[in-house]
Amino acid sequence: LQEFDLNVNKAALIVGGGIAGMNCALSIANQGHTVHLVEKEKELGGVARKIHTTLEGLDVQAYLRDLAQKIYKHPLVHVYHDATITQATGYVGNFVTTVKSDKGVSEIQHGAAVLAIGADLYTPTEYLYGQDERVLTHLELEEKITAGDETVTGAQSMVMIQCVGCRNEERNYCSRLCCSESVKNALLLKEKNPDMDIYVLFRDIRTYGFKEDSYREAASKGVRFIRYEPQDPPVVEPGKAEDGRAVLKVTATDYILNKKLELDADIIALAAAVVPSAATKEVASQFKVTLSPDGFFKEAHVKLRPVEFAADGVYLCGLAHYPKFIQETISQAYGAAGRALTLLSNDIVVASGSVCQVVESKCMGCGACVDAC
């Protein structure tokens, strides 16, 4: 092994302009370092733009507006919208990333990179989603509740179905956020329409921590929680209620009563899975970082290096790591900023590299050594 003294470029590149990316960018910029914030959309905010409140009642949109305003006003933060990364080269302390954006093609030199590209929402193919406008995801439901849509707030009954698109053979992980989102929307609806019948069809309710209080509050207000098994999922089909109105018939087995239930739903809300962003594999290849079996970014060590990759100088935070709540996202963004600042505060970083030699007598001409280099 040989050791090399590498000069550290004092700038940082943040890939992703959601809550994680913005908090990380501000934290680094407030320490006096130039930050290049690369966002694929026309505006900052990521998936949080579709969220209006948290389970604790915080105004997410007001928080986002304040955060974006601080980003745009900060003299050391340079924002690139409609951006795609075409090339990423270099090593710890001295990366060069080519970005195509609304500013044209830019070659950004930076010492550290933070990947905060967020995640996507699974588009359901189950339960008549996309075929019947009365079937919504929870983010779509929250938009309609916030807008005061009468078809939602004035509905007589609603059925929420959990674990849509995850905890199955294709995606065997839990999306963590869905149960709290369902409870939050149920409480919002009960506040606007206390007489609405709301049923939550679940496999396991995971409102962990103090969110358990909200689950108990929802149950006390008449929200009915009914467990179903994965081998016997609910069945949804159009039908008519006893009063003649058009409804969606939801058939599910109640394993406590040991009988089939038929529920009339004016609206069905699906707790769709959080899935890795479509750009995850490409970004992972460009920055030479690894992915978990579920397709999210994989940290170097879950306890000792939770915001770092095995590749030096590259860090991660937010939903790109795994599904997490806004409070957890902000905390991890500060953690990633702290690790990046540890690198950027140095003038020189010492790196060790292996020098390879080909043993001709053992060479079979496979070319694997070329790819490794």
Side-chain angles (χ1 to χ4, degrees):
L1 293 177
Q2 295 182 353
E3 290 190 340
F4 303 92
D5 287 344
L6 305 174
N7 293 323
V8 176
N9 188 300
K10 296 297 185 178
L13 176 77
I14 313 294
V15 185
I19 283 181
M22 286 194 283
N23 274 291
C24 188
L26 276 177
S27 186
I28 295 173
N30 286 337
Q31 298 297 317
H33 296 277
T34 301
V35 176
H36 301 275
L37 182 60
V38 176
E39 168 56 37
K40 64 179 180 180
E41 303 291 343
K42 294 183 185 296
E43 55 183 312
L44 300 173
V47 74
R49 294 203 308 270
K50 300 178 182 178
I51 301 172
H52 295 270
T53 61
T54 64
L55 192 55
E56 295 76 19
L58 300 177
D59 189 335
V60 177
Q61 294 306 306
Y63 174 73
L64 268 184
R65 287 192 295 270
D66 179 61
L67 195 59
Q69 191 176 37
K70 289 178 180 176
I71 285 285
Y72 289 124
K73 285 185 175 181
H74 204 293
L76 293 178
V77 180
H78 306 283
V79 183
Y80 303 78
H81 291 288
D82 286 331
T84 55
I85 295 174
T86 57
Q87 188 179 25
T89 60
Y91 43 83
V92 57
N94 193 3
F95 295 99
V96 179
T97 302
T98 305
V99 176
K100 184 179 179 182
S101 68
D102 56 352
K103 297 181 178 180
V105 178
S106 308
E107 193 175 83
I108 301 171
Q109 296 183 346
H110 54 101
V114 180
L115 306 185
I117 62 174
D120 293 334
L121 193 69
Y122 169 68
T123 303
T125 56
E126 307 92 329
Y127 307 118
L128 302 182
Y129 183 82
Q131 303 172 43
D132 194 307
E133 61 183 9
R134 294 170 292 180
V135 183
L136 311 168
T137 65
H138 269 289
L139 285 184
E140 293 167 345
L141 175 64
E142 185 175 345
E143 290 272 5
K144 289 181 179 291
I145 294 172
T146 305
D149 191 322
E150 275 293 322
T151 59
V152 169
T153 57
Q156 291 185 37
S157 63
M158 174 174 294
V159 173
M160 300 178 176
I161 304 176
Q162 302 301 107
C163 299
V164 179
C166 62
R167 298 185 71 200
N168 53 25
E169 290 184 5
E170 186 178 357
R171 300 178 195 87
N172 61 8
Y173 59 87
C174 169
S175 292
R176 298 181 75 241
L177 316 174
C178 321
C179 291
S180 298
E181 180 73 9
S182 298
V183 168
K184 178 186 76 177
N185 285 338
L187 288 171
L188 288 173
L189 288 166
K190 277 292 186 181
E191 189 178 314
K192 293 178 180 293
N193 184 358
D195 296 328
M196 184 187 298
D197 292 323
I198 301 177
Y199 304 88
V200 180
L201 305 184
F202 71 96
R203 287 176 56 188
D204 297 285
I205 289 293
R206 295 182 174 180
T207 48
Y208 55 88
F210 291 112
K211 294 177 175 60
E212 182 78 8
D213 294 337
S214 298
Y215 164 65
R216 294 182 183 278
E217 181 187 351
S220 70
K221 289 185 175 180
V223 178
R224 297 173 179 88
F225 293 87
I226 302 169
R227 186 184 183 117
Y228 75 90
E229 294 292 335
Q231 67 271 16
D232 186 17
V235 176
V236 177
E237 53 191 4
K240 287 191 177 294
E242 290 182 359
D243 59 6
R245 78 183 194 279
V247 294
L248 290 166
K249 295 279 186 181
V250 182
T251 306
T253 303
D254 188 322
Y255 283 86
I256 296 177
L257 300 176
N258 197 26
K259 61 170 63 175
K260 287 279 186 182
L261 300 179
E262 188 176 85
L263 307 172
D264 294 341
D266 294 310
I267 300 291
I268 291 178
L270 305 181
V274 177
V275 298
S277 170
T280 301
K281 287 186 178 179
E282 184 181 1
V283 172
S285 174
Q286 289 168 333
F287 287 91
K288 302 176 181 63
V289 297
T290 54
L291 301 179
S292 71
D294 298 324
F296 294 95
F297 287 133
K298 181 177 175 60
E299 71 278 14
H301 191 286
V302 68
K303 290 186 177 180
L304 303 180
R305 299 172 66 191
V307 295
E308 300 175 58
F309 287 107
D312 292 335
V314 187
Y315 310 93
L316 79 157
C317 60
L319 289 179
H321 183 205
Y322 62 79
K324 52 176 66 71
F325 290 100
I326 289 176
Q327 299 94 322
E328 296 170 327
T329 294
I330 294 170
S331 297
Q332 194 182 27
Y334 289 146
R339 295 303 299 144
L341 286 166
T342 301
L343 169 63
L344 298 177
S345 62
N346 295 313
D347 293 323
I348 292 175
V349 62
V350 179
S352 60
S354 300
V355 179
C356 301
Q357 287 182 323
V358 176
V359 181
E360 293 185 10
S361 61
K362 295 182 179 181
C363 178
M364 58 185 285
C366 67
C369 60
V370 176
D371 292 337
C373 281

